[in-house]
Amino acid sequence: DSLMIISLNGWPGVGKLTVGLELADILEGRLLDSHTLFNVAITLTDYRSSEYYDVARRVRDIAFEYVLRLAPSVPVILTNVIATGGPSGFAEEHWQAVCHLARDRKCHLYSATLDCEPDEQVRRMALPSRRAHKKLLSPTIMPELRRTRFLFDDGADYRNTFDNSGSDPHATAVEIASWVRVTLPL
């Protein structure tokens, strides 16, 4: 079995967590979504304060330590919003930590960027389940984010973009799993 980390990257509301849950089932992997990582900091500190970033880093370090303890054959699926131009540079730093995790695990890093039509993104952002996960609920900032910041995945071994506007999460996960299986090195 080839080792892999799959980063599901995309803007808020494109379906990363929902697709990630399906993908983890299909690949018999582990899902570590960004809100599992960062909700401790979001809940217990002032968002974007120096304390917030300190807590986020510490929780990430612990989580990544345990990823390295997983059996080599266990795929790991991460969800992220890795975009340029944030006020703190934390997204870029976090992506470098993901790249280092893949290197330390001696595995391939796949980047699957999810996207959907803006109207569908607005609909998804209004879903009540997002509040329970402390996710961004207001779609009003999305046009400015999409205009001024850019998703990136430099350093991934394999990259692809998936538009899941009209497909259900399971179908998108099947598409990603098929792509991963086709590109797996022998």
Side-chain angles (χ1 to χ4, degrees), residues 51-163:
E51 189 176 38
Y52 167 85
Y53 293 111
D54 179 54
V55 171
R57 287 180 187 102
R58 291 170 65 192
V59 171
R60 179 186 62 210
D61 290 348
I62 292 167
F64 284 11
E65 175 187 333
Y66 279 83
V67 167
L68 293 172
R69 294 180 185 189
L70 292 173
S73 59
V74 176
V76 176
I77 296 100
L78 306 172
T79 67
N80 298 295
V81 179
I82 304 296
T84 60
S88 68
F90 185 75
E92 292 92 338
E93 174 192 325
H94 180 65
W95 178 245
Q96 288 307 307
V98 170
C99 292
H100 288 143
L101 177 65
R103 184 198 65 216
D104 292 347
R105 199 167 188 236
K106 297 176 178 58
C107 70
H108 299 284
L109 177 56
Y110 290 79
S111 176
T113 299
L114 298 181
D115 203 2
C116 67
E117 295 295 324
D119 289 346
E120 177 62 12
Q121 183 182 20
V122 167
R123 185 193 71 75
R124 292 175 185 179
M125 289 182 80
L127 294 173
S129 61
R130 291 183 61 81
R131 181 176 300 284
H133 293 283
K134 301 190 182 314
K135 294 182 169 196
L136 181 64
L137 301 172
S138 173
T140 58
I141 68 164
M142 290 315 306
E144 180 67 10
L145 283 178
R146 284 180 179 259
R147 189 182 68 72
T148 61
R149 298 180 66 190
F150 302 96
L151 297 172
F152 71 94
D153 55 9
D154 300 345
D157 298 306
Y158 302 94
R159 304 146 98 172
N160 205 343
T161 300
F162 300 86
D163 185 328

Side-chain angles (χ1 to χ4, degrees), residues 26-76:
I26 292 167
L27 295 177
E28 298 179 9
R30 302 286 179 96
L31 173 66
L32 181 58
D33 73 285
S34 59
H35 285 277
T36 297
L37 277 179
F38 302 129
N39 276 353
V40 172
I42 290 169
T43 300
L44 300 177
T45 66
D46 292 329
Y47 186 55
R48 293 188 175 159
S49 66
S50 62
E51 189 176 38
Y52 167 85
Y53 293 111
D54 179 54
V55 171
R57 287 180 187 102
R58 291 170 65 192
V59 171
R60 179 186 62 210
D61 290 348
I62 292 167
F64 284 11
E65 175 187 333
Y66 279 83
V67 167
L68 293 172
R69 294 180 185 189
L70 292 173
S73 59
V74 176
V76 176

